[in-house]
Amino acid sequence: MSKKHWEDVYQTKPTDQVSWYQEQDQKSLELIQRLRDKHKLDLTVQIIDVGSGASVFIDQLLELGFKHIHVLDLSQTALGKTQTRLREKNLHAEQITWLVEDICTVMLPANYFDLWHDRAVFHFMVSAEQQQQYISNLKTSLKKGGHLIMSNFAEDGPTQCSGLTIQRYSIEELQEKLGADFHLMHFEHDIHLTPWGSEQKFLHSVWAYQPNS
Ligand SMILES: C[S@@+](CC[C@H](N)C(=O)[O-])C[C@H]1O[C@@H](n2cnc3c(N)ncnc32)[C@H](O)[C@@H]1O
């Protein structure tokens, strides 16, 4: 059902007419820059953007010079839109691995990614099973010492996104959900304006993955 929902969205709506559209993903850029400045995040690291949709985040990563980018989404149409846009901008998409997969059930390589980026995706995991599957995949495929950037609706944010019920988070609730292996490095709140001017309160957070075992 979920895959069909997202395919329908991307097939019927222009990229800039979905509530989560951004001309630039300014906040993610800032958070990546923090990691580059403070933790020497190298341009050769393996980055995955889960639930990437048709986001310009990928263009930004290429423009910054990141070499190994993995783009995952349920919707082939969404990834096709990104591919077309990158071609039009003459950005080199051959540096990218494209994965049309469900982040809950996909088999990702173990201990592989240096950075996992998620903007407005984990909050769609509303059942305990989905949350557990997502976090299990995250913990399996993120390297020890790797980083997670996650942006979701804040505790006082909207209760729905794309017509679907979502799970809102305070930073304490997110910490509890992710577990003690994730060490909070930074968080902040801000407001996203939809293309039609509605306000959406977001919680942005950066985590270091440091499991004990
Ligand atoms: C609100 S959009 C955000 C898109 C993008 N991250 C951005 O910020 O523009 C949520 C995205 O998550 C994708 N998605 C939802 N559930 C997913 C799942 N289980 N596995 C992979 N992608 C999923 C949808 O197809 C959609 O592109």
Side-chain angles (χ1 to χ4, degrees):
M1 147 16 219
S2 189
K3 186 177 169 76
K4 180 173 178 346
H5 170 86
W6 291 108
E7 272 300 343
D8 286 351
V9 167
Y10 286 108
Q11 282 175 17
T12 56
K13 295 194 178 184
T15 308
D16 61 358
Q17 289 304 313
V18 292
S19 59
W20 55 93
Y21 171 72
Q22 307 180 102
E23 207 176 314
Q24 285 291 308
D25 188 349
Q26 193 55 39
K27 187 53 65 186
S28 296
L29 262 185
E30 284 170 27
L31 298 177
I32 293 232
Q33 200 53 50
R34 282 178 71 90
L35 286 175
R36 287 195 36 75
D37 292 345
K38 296 193 174 181
H39 299 275
K40 310 216 179 324
L41 189 77
D42 203 79
L43 293 173
T44 59
V45 296
Q46 301 287 344
I47 302 185
I48 185 164
D49 185 28
V50 304
S52 186
S55 171
V56 291
F57 180 64
I58 305 307
D59 315 31
Q60 296 176 177
L61 289 177
L62 286 168
E63 282 159 358
L64 285 170
F66 282 100
K67 302 270 179 274
H68 304 293
I69 304 166
H70 306 256
V71 189
L72 182 147
D73 201 280
L74 275 178
S75 167
Q76 170 77 64
T77 304
L79 299 191
K81 289 186 179 198
T82 300
Q83 289 165 340
T84 303
R85 193 181 60 242
L86 295 181
R87 265 197 304 276
E88 285 167 2
K89 290 185 180 176
N90 210 13
L91 284 169
H92 296 295
E94 61 267 25
Q95 298 168 345
I96 300 184
T97 306
W98 303 94
L99 298 161
V100 179
E101 297 283 357
D102 184 330
I103 193 54
C104 294
T105 52
V106 63
M107 291 276 288
L108 293 170
N111 195 23
Y112 186 79
F113 298 111
D114 299 279
L115 177 63
W116 177 294
H117 177 266
D118 171 331
R119 176 176 179 269
V121 184
F122 181 61
H123 68 198
F124 287 106
M125 313 299 149
V126 288
S127 73
E129 186 189 15
Q130 285 175 315
Q131 291 169 359
Q132 186 272 325
Q133 288 175 324
Y134 180 110
I135 292 170
S136 167
N137 252 344
L138 168 64
K139 288 170 115 173
T140 302
S141 60
L142 194 58
K143 284 182 189 163
K144 292 186 177 67
H147 293 97
L148 163 67
I149 295 179
M150 188 174 269
S151 299
N152 17 45
F153 283 173
E155 59 196 313
D156 53 354
T159 55
Q160 291 206 327
C161 183
S162 188
L164 302 174
T165 300
I166 58 92
Q167 171 93 49
R168 300 181 292 179
Y169 287 97
S170 66
I171 195 66
E172 292 81 11
E173 288 164 340
L174 193 55
Q175 173 78 77
E176 196 180 329
K177 197 68 76 179
L178 292 171
D181 292 344
F182 285 89
H183 295 249
L184 181 61
M185 298 170 63
H186 173 78
F187 76 96
E188 59 188 280
H189 292 93
D190 85 341
I191 291 176
H192 166 67
L193 280 184
T194 68
W196 44 94
S198 302
E199 291 192 351
Q200 296 185 327
K201 291 185 181 165
F202 265 80
L203 167 68
H204 304 280
S205 54
V206 184
W207 307 81
Y209 180 49
Q210 282 157 357
N212 287 324
S213 52

